[in-house]
C-alpha cells in the first residue's frame, strides 16, 4: 500500500494526474469545474511538494526526482484556461511549484521562514483571557445588529482556521434577515431577531474531487468546527457574544431549500452572533486529570 502510494503520489506522467483515489487526464482537467480544479491543485501541492519536502530539507530522505510533476500539470492547465493566478492561495501554490522545479533541477533547496517564538507574558495574558473568558451567549441586545466590518473580522477568523489537506472545503452563508433565521432549530430558544447567523457549510465537491469523501469524510466537519471555534473566539475579542447552534438534518434540509443552496453545499453548524444582553455563569471544564485518560 505504502509503495503504491509513493509510486502514484509522484507519478512521472505529465499528461495525467494519477493517485490512490483516482485519475484525471489532461482533458478531464481542462473540463473540470474551477472550484474542483483549484482544490486538486492545492491538495497536490500540499501532498506532493509541501509535505514531501520536509524529509528532503532535513536530509532524511532524498527528494523525488519528479517532485511536483502532477501539481505542475494541474497548474499548467489552470493557467492555460486563463483562470486567475494572483490570489494568495494560488501564489502559495506557485511558490511551492517553483521550489519543486528547483529540486527537480538538482538544487539543494532551503526554506527560510521564521520559526514560531514563545509569546511574551503580556501576549500570553491576552491568549489566556481569550480562551478562558469566552463563553456562549444566547441573548442579544435588540435592534443592534453586528456591523459588516465586525462580521468580516469574524469571517476572516474562520478563514484562518486550519483545514485538512489544504483543501479549503469550508463555506459561509451569512443571514441577517430574522425571517430567514427562524428556519434554524436549536434545543435552546434563541432570539433570532437579535443576532446574525453564520451558517458554516462545506462544499462536498471538493472532497469528491480528490476521493477524500471516501477516505476521511469526517475531516469536512472538523474543518467547519475549527472555523466555528476561531469565529467564536474573534467574536468574543470584539466584545460580541456568539454561540454554536447544532444543525439537525431537518434544519439543514429546510435551510437548503429555502435559501436555494446548491445540492453540494452541506451545513455543519450555525454560529449566532450579536451584542451580548445576558452572560451565563461561565461553564467550567472537567479537571485535566479526567481528560487525559492515559495519565500515570
Ligand atoms: C458542537 C456544538 C454544538 C452546540 N450546540 C448548541 C446549541 O444547539 N444550542 C446552544 O445554545 N449551544 C450550543 N453549543 C454551545 C455549548 O452548549 C457550550 O459551548 C457549552 O455548554 C460550554 O459553554 P461555554 O461555551 O459557555 O464555555 C454547542 C457547542 C458545540 C461545540
Amino acid at each position: 500500500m505504502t509503495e503504491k502510494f509513493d509510486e502514484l503520489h509522484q507519478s512521472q506522467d505529465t499528461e495525467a494526474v494519477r493517485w490512490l483515489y483516482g485519475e484525471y487526464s489532461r482533458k478531464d482537467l481542462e473540463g473540470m469545474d474551477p472550484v474542483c480544479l483549484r482544490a486538486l491543485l492545492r491538495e497536490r501541492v500540499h501532498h506532493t511538494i509541501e509535505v514531501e519536502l520536509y524529509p528532503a530539507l532535513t536530509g532524511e530522505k532524498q527528494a523525488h526526482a519528479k517532485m511536483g510533476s502532477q501539481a505542475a500539470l494541474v497548474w499548467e492547465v489552470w493557467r492555460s484556461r486563463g483562470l486567475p493566478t494572483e490570489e494568495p492561495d494560488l501564489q502559495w501554490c506557485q511558490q511551492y511549484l517553483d521550489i519543486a522545479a528547483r529540486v527537480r533541477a538538482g538544487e539543494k533547496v532551503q526554506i527560510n521562514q521564521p520559526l514560531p517564538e514563545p509569546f511574551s507574558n503580556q501576549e500570553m495574558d491576552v491568549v489566556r483571557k481569550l480562551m478562558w473568558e469566552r463563553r456562549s451567549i444566547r441573548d442579544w441586545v435588540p435592534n443592534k445588529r453586528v456591523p459588516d466590518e465586525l462580521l468580516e473580522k469574524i469571517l476572516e477568523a474562520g478563514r484562518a482556521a486550519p483545514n485538512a489537506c489544504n483543501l479549503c472545503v469550508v463555506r459561509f452563508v451569512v443571514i441577517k434577515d430574522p425571517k430567514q433565521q427562524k428556519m434554524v432549530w436549536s434545543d435552546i430558544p434563541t432570539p433570532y431577531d437579535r443576532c446574525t447567523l453564520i451558517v458554516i457549510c462545506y462544499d462536498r465537491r471538493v472532497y469528491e474531487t480528490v476521493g477524500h469523501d471516501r477516505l476521511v469524510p469526517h475531516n469536512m466537519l472538523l474543518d467547519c468546527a475549527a472555523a466555528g471555534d476561531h469565529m467564536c473566539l474573534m467574536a468574543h475579542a470584539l466584545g460580541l457574544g456568539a454561540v454554536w447552534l447544532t444543525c439537525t438534518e431537518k434544519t439543514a434540509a429546510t435551510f437548503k431549500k429555502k435559501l436555494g443552496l446548491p445540492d453540494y453545499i452541506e451545513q455543519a453548524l450555525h454560529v449566532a452572533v450579536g451584542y451580548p444582553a445576558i452572560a451565563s455563569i461561565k461553564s467550567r471544564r472537567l479537571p485535566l486529570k479526567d481528560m487525559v485518560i492515559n495519565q500515570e
Side-chain angles (χ1 to χ4, degrees):
M1 175 81 161
T2 315
E3 270 167 33
K4 178 88 177 149
F5 192 76
D6 275 355
E7 181 197 318
L8 288 165
H9 226 44
Q10 297 293 351
S11 157
Q12 302 187 15
D13 199 332
T14 52
E15 285 305 306
V17 174
R18 290 200 180 94
W19 77 116
L20 210 53
Y21 325 111
E23 172 176 336
Y24 292 118
S25 67
R26 181 184 283 264
K27 200 160 171 281
D28 293 331
L29 299 174
E30 282 165 356
M32 193 181 275
D33 183 293
V35 169
C36 300
L37 191 62
R38 190 169 183 163
L40 183 64
L41 173 68
R42 297 170 53 91
E43 186 272 340
R44 291 288 78 194
V45 170
H46 167 68
H47 277 137
T48 67
I49 306 177
E50 186 187 24
V51 170
E52 293 280 316
L53 209 55
Y54 288 106
L57 291 175
T58 57
E60 250 170 67
K61 195 176 142 193
Q62 213 181 346
H64 197 286
K66 294 282 175 184
M67 174 182 271
S69 53
Q70 295 193 28
L73 171 60
V74 182
W75 186 229
E76 189 196 316
V77 171
W78 179 271
R79 284 185 306 173
S80 74
R81 289 177 57 178
L83 294 164
T85 56
E86 296 310 313
E87 282 164 2
D89 66 314
L90 297 166
Q91 286 295 306
W92 176 89
C93 290
Q94 170 83 78
Q95 274 178 296
Y96 269 112
L97 283 158
D98 290 347
I99 290 170
R102 284 163 55 204
V103 170
R104 289 200 298 273
E107 200 182 312
K108 206 166 166 17
V109 174
Q110 292 296 329
I111 299 181
N112 297 316
Q113 289 291 309
L115 293 172
E117 297 269 355
F119 281 20
S120 66
N121 287 342
Q122 208 181 355
E123 287 166 334
M124 278 309 281
D125 284 345
V126 175
V127 173
R128 227 174 278 121
K129 184 176 156 82
L130 183 64
M131 287 183 183
W132 289 102
E133 288 187 9
R134 181 218 55 83
R135 71 196 60 198
S136 296
I137 296 289
R138 299 184 178 89
D139 195 12
W140 302 274
V141 176
N143 306 318
K144 197 170 175 200
R145 289 269 146 194
V146 178
D148 285 348
E149 60 271 25
L150 298 192
L151 260 182
E152 195 177 324
K153 285 194 166 86
I154 293 169
L155 295 170
E156 283 291 351
R159 193 165 78 93
N163 73 99
C165 305
N166 196 31
L167 280 162
C168 282
V169 74
V170 175
R171 304 288 183 265
F172 304 122
V173 178
V174 180
I175 302 184
K176 301 175 190 171
D177 177 358
K179 276 193 233 113
Q180 285 186 318
Q181 289 167 356
K182 285 216 177 87
M183 290 185 280
V184 183
W185 173 92
S186 169
D187 51 348
I188 292 164
T190 306
Y192 298 116
D193 52 343
R194 302 175 196 175
C195 63
T196 299
L197 264 189
I198 301 168
V199 186
I200 307 181
C201 313
Y202 56 87
D203 185 332
R204 211 180 51 227
R205 294 174 302 169
V206 165
Y207 266 47
E208 285 166 357
T209 303
V210 298
H212 282 25
D213 56 321
R214 281 164 281 153
L215 190 74
V216 279
H218 50 276
N219 277 355
M220 292 185 270
L221 289 176
L222 296 177
D223 281 7
C224 291
D229 191 46
H230 267 51
M231 293 204 278
C232 289
L233 288 170
M234 178 56 87
H236 182 74
L238 292 168
L240 298 168
V243 63
W244 288 53
L245 295 174
T246 299
C247 178
T248 62
E249 273 182 30
K250 192 167 166 231
T251 302
T254 315
F255 230 88
K256 196 179 236 180
K257 200 167 153 212
K258 292 218 171 137
L259 291 178
L261 295 178
D263 185 48
Y264 51 80
I265 296 292
E266 307 284 3
Q267 296 149 70
L269 67 128
H270 300 191
V271 168
V273 61
Y275 282 90
I278 303 170
S280 55
I281 299 168
K282 173 69 185 120
S283 86
R284 297 291 165 196
R285 301 296 180 254
L286 276 179
L288 196 55
K289 68 176 174 42
D290 296 335
M291 294 180 78
V292 183
I293 56 174
N294 66 338
Q295 212 152 17
E296 280 160 22

